[in-house]
Amino acid sequence: MSNDLVLKMTGLVVKAPTGATLVDHVDVELQRGQVLGLIGESGAGKSTIGLAAMGYGRGGCKITEGLIVVDGISLMEGTRETREAIRGARIAYVAQSAAASFNPAHRIGQQIMEGPLYHGLMSKAEAKAWMLELLHALQLPDPETFANRYPHQVSGGQLQRAMVAMAMSCRPDILVLDEPTTALDVTTQIEVLALLRSLIQRYRTAALYITHDLAVVAQIADRIMVLRHGKMVELGSAEDVLEAPKQDYTRRLVAEREASIAGEQAELKTGDMLLEVKNATAYYGKKLVLSDVNCHVRRGETLAIVGESGSGKSTLARIIAGLPPHSSGIITLGGQRLPGSYKQRSREELRRIQLVYQLPDVALNPRQTVGEIIGRPMKFYFGMTEDQRKAEIARLLELIGLPTDFAGRLPGALSGGQKQRVCIARALAAKPDLIICDEVTSALDPLVAEEILKLLRELQDELSVSYLFITHDLGVVRRLADRTMVMQKGRVVETGTTKAIFEPPYEAYTKQLITSVPELRRDWLDDILKARVAG
């Protein structure tokens, strides 16, 4: 390998435990300081390639063919000790789900410092100073205090930024970035993208950037590889792939991204009042996280809640579902007041509100099959027999676009997008009145996300189900939501019809969110950073 070539993968083949081919003879070359974007639909093989770059196959997957060389060292021919010495120190991985990657029993700062200490790269004092510097650069609040928190004590977006810090802790030669901004709001995403780009340029770090967001990859990638069904569809410079795609599949991805930015306003619906939240206030310990929040959702309506990471969106969803933290206020469903805790709610009250979590890795039991996961609500709420459950499980799997034989698979054998669809099917199994959707499309590629949105709209029209839709994807809001509520620091900034929210004149914070949505052009990030400096 040349001095600048740090990663070379030739003829890579990865197979699932079932024998299915996940990656089919893919070649990858990566130079120092270069970013290769891997894009494609859920299950295309993007994450599998990223993990294979570390000589690793998850969930029993095996690298059956190919050559993998990291900075002159063959991972397939080397020993286990050789691979372990490279992982973390020479090549680091930022996972799609930070919550599933942090140890819940250890403080965040300790876990960020663990890499350089384990590999003997820094003293404890040096590792701590570098850890705090990274937390500060990633704009995490009060780095000293943040470092002493446990993973469950911070928001999903904050934990994802902490994972970027953990990956950079050893100053690796190669970063495998697997949807590193998926959990971030649009304003924070800008800062993380700018930081990643500056770190890559400063240390000449090479990176594989795995994402389904073309506008994001446009800001950071030098080259783009388009994948589908485990095969390479197209490879070229970022400019060529985004501005003049050669393959039909790539053109569809580009067209869908442009359509999602423009958005098509959802038709405004009205119906009987279903959910009302009055004067909701919530604390984590002594920390105020929600302050006097009021909102409502009518039957058959979608209310979108948007705002930056830590604004209180998911906390509001939790208290509506009867989950911690401690809160005060009044929540009514169909005119009947709900107890504050799920433990005090009747089985019928529990059935009527279902929650689809932001992080499917955390929400799904890795030891249960897909069929067991989807079938549990059927048994719990309706007492269905085994034959009835099997038939309903098959119907729901078809409804969400997964083969019926997925019922026998474990979550570890599924892609991130497939896991999220299973979570949606589990919620639908309870036949609820209200589904709280917490970033349900964030893990999906644009084409699959559009299919899920279409499915949600069809279900709403057919069943008059209501959605409380938490997201940082403003394109999704435009297309799905009847009304939108903007939150910041635990308070409601404004509420109105989605059409009114997205038309000028804007409230200042809402304008900041709207202008922070990435555009499908290479110089967008530079322009937005210059505007912030000037403004």
Side-chain angles (χ1 to χ4, degrees):
M1 295 177 69
S2 69
N3 290 335
D4 284 338
L5 187 62
V6 292
L7 175 66
K8 185 177 178 66
M9 307 170 76
T10 306
L12 179 69
V13 177
V14 183
K15 292 186 179 291
T18 60
T21 300
L22 302 178
V23 176
D24 192 358
H25 294 90
V26 171
D27 299 336
V28 175
E29 287 191 356
L30 197 58
Q31 308 281 338
R32 291 190 187 277
Q34 184 183 70
V35 179
L36 173 64
L38 301 180
I39 65 172
E41 64 192 358
S42 177
K46 306 184 299 293
S47 296
T48 303
I49 292 173
L51 290 168
M54 307 174 74
Y56 180 77
R58 66 179 174 188
C61 299
K62 292 185 178 180
I63 302 169
T64 58
E65 296 181 41
L67 181 69
I68 304 170
V69 181
V70 175
D71 205 10
I73 301 172
S74 174
L75 298 190
M76 301 309 296
E77 297 174 358
T79 65
R80 178 179 176 180
E81 289 74 19
T82 299
R83 289 191 291 272
E84 289 181 350
I86 287 175
R87 293 171 186 162
R90 304 288 292 277
I91 179 169
Y93 184 79
V94 177
Q96 185 175 5
S97 172
S101 302
F102 274 88
N103 187 327
H106 295 282
R107 300 181 191 276
I108 294 172
Q110 292 175 324
Q111 297 184 65
I112 295 174
M113 293 168 57
E114 183 178 2
L117 293 177
Y118 175 81
H119 291 285
L121 301 175
M122 301 177 192
S123 68
K124 188 172 182 178
E126 290 170 335
K128 182 177 180 180
W130 175 232
M131 177 267 294
L132 294 174
E133 182 179 336
L134 286 170
L135 293 181
H136 178 76
L138 284 161
Q139 294 193 341
L140 288 161
D142 191 0
E144 283 274 7
T145 302
F146 185 90
N148 284 323
R149 291 178 181 166
Y150 291 92
H152 71 276
Q153 294 177 315
V154 303
S155 72
Q158 290 172 336
L159 197 60
Q160 193 73 2
R161 279 181 279 169
M163 193 172 186
V164 173
M166 186 161 60
M168 286 301 302
S169 64
C170 292
R171 298 190 176 102
D173 297 319
I174 304 170
L175 281 175
V176 179
L177 302 163
D178 194 347
E179 301 277 10
T181 63
T182 291
L184 304 181
D185 61 86
V186 289
T187 54
T188 305
Q189 179 174 254
I190 291 171
E191 307 302 335
V192 174
L193 285 173
L195 173 68
L196 285 171
R197 193 172 67 175
S198 66
L199 290 175
I200 287 167
Q201 293 171 350
R202 179 177 179 182
Y203 296 108
R204 294 194 71 211
T205 306
L208 290 175
Y209 198 104
I210 299 164
T211 184
H212 58 259
D213 194 327
L214 290 176
V216 167
V217 82
Q219 312 311 317
I220 198 167
D222 302 292
R223 295 187 301 139
I224 292 176
M225 178 184 290
V226 183
L227 296 157
R228 193 182 191 196
H229 304 318
K231 295 183 179 182
M232 186 189 75
V233 173
E234 189 164 349
L235 174 67
S237 69
E239 289 84 357
D240 289 345
V241 172
L242 295 174
E243 296 174 11
K246 298 178 181 178
Q247 302 299 320
D248 178 64
Y249 177 67
T250 310
R251 289 194 288 268
R252 286 172 56 204
L253 287 176
V254 172
E256 175 55 36
R257 173 61 195 187
E258 291 175 336
S260 72
I261 293 297
E264 181 179 342
Q265 177 59 49
E267 181 182 350
L268 188 64
K269 305 181 187 72
T270 59
D272 296 335
M273 188 65 67
L274 177 67
L275 175 80
E276 285 189 278
V277 179
K278 297 179 181 178
N279 308 117
T281 298
Y283 293 84
Y284 279 113
K286 295 182 179 180
K287 182 181 178 182
L288 180 67
V289 290
L290 277 185
S291 180
D292 200 30
V293 172
N294 295 275
C295 67
H296 68 269
V297 183
R298 295 184 178 275
R299 192 172 297 277
E301 180 188 49
T302 299
L303 172 66
I305 304 178
V306 300
E308 62 193 356
S309 175
S311 64
K313 306 186 301 296
S314 295
T315 299
L316 177 59
R318 289 179 65 84
I319 67 170
I320 291 172
L323 300 171
H326 173 73
S327 62
S328 62
I330 297 174
I331 301 173
T332 61
L333 183 68
Q336 300 297 313
R337 183 168 180 174
L338 292 176
S341 172
Y342 76 94
K343 295 178 181 179
Q344 299 170 325
R345 295 183 184 181
S346 68
R347 185 168 296 193
E348 179 65 7
E349 288 170 337
L350 294 173
R351 180 193 68 79
R352 295 179 68 187
I353 299 178
Q354 296 294 310
L355 198 154
V356 180
Y357 290 90
Q358 178 181 2
L359 303 171
D361 285 319
V362 178
L364 299 178
N365 188 329
R367 297 180 182 273
Q368 291 184 345
T369 66
V370 168
E372 290 171 331
I373 290 168
I374 298 176
R376 187 176 180 185
M378 302 172 192
K379 183 177 181 180
F380 182 77
Y381 293 117
F382 307 113
M384 289 186 182
T385 65
E386 184 175 351
D387 288 343
Q388 289 172 329
R389 289 201 305 273
K390 285 183 178 179
E392 183 67 2
I393 289 165
R395 185 186 73 84
L396 286 173
L397 285 173
E398 290 179 353
L399 194 62
I400 62 170
L402 291 179
T404 56
D405 63 7
F406 270 47
R409 296 192 183 186
L410 293 171
L414 308 184
S415 70
Q418 290 167 342
K419 292 175 188 175
Q420 192 63 290
R421 282 186 273 177
V422 170
C423 290
I424 293 171
R426 177 173 59 184
L428 292 173
K431 300 180 180 179
D433 295 317
L434 174 69
I435 298 179
I436 301 173
C437 302
D438 192 349
E439 299 282 8
V440 297
T441 59
S442 65
L444 306 179
D445 67 85
L447 298 180
V448 175
E450 180 54 37
E451 292 172 3
I452 294 296
L453 293 176
K454 180 180 178 182
L455 170 63
L456 292 173
R457 288 193 293 263
E458 290 173 349
L459 290 168
Q460 191 170 59
D461 292 339
E462 180 180 348
L463 305 173
S464 292
V465 65
S466 301
Y467 300 127
L468 188 68
F469 209 93
I470 299 168
T471 183
H472 59 254
D473 189 332
L474 300 186
V476 169
V477 174
R478 289 176 186 267
R479 286 176 288 168
L480 191 68
D482 302 291
R483 292 183 302 110
T484 298
M485 184 167 78
V486 182
M487 295 186 68
Q488 183 184 29
K489 297 179 180 179
R491 299 178 183 272
V492 177
V493 174
E494 64 173 328
T495 304
T497 66
T498 301
K499 179 178 176 61
I501 293 291
F502 283 90
E503 287 184 352
Y506 303 113
E507 195 279 335
Y509 178 67
T510 305
K511 181 179 180 180
Q512 182 182 346
L513 290 177
I514 293 172
T515 57
S516 297
V517 177
E519 297 176 13
L520 199 58
R521 55 185 178 89
R522 294 276 288 161
D523 55 356
W524 174 84
L525 182 59
D526 292 325
D527 288 348
I528 200 74
L529 292 173
K530 289 176 184 176
R532 286 190 172 187
V533 172

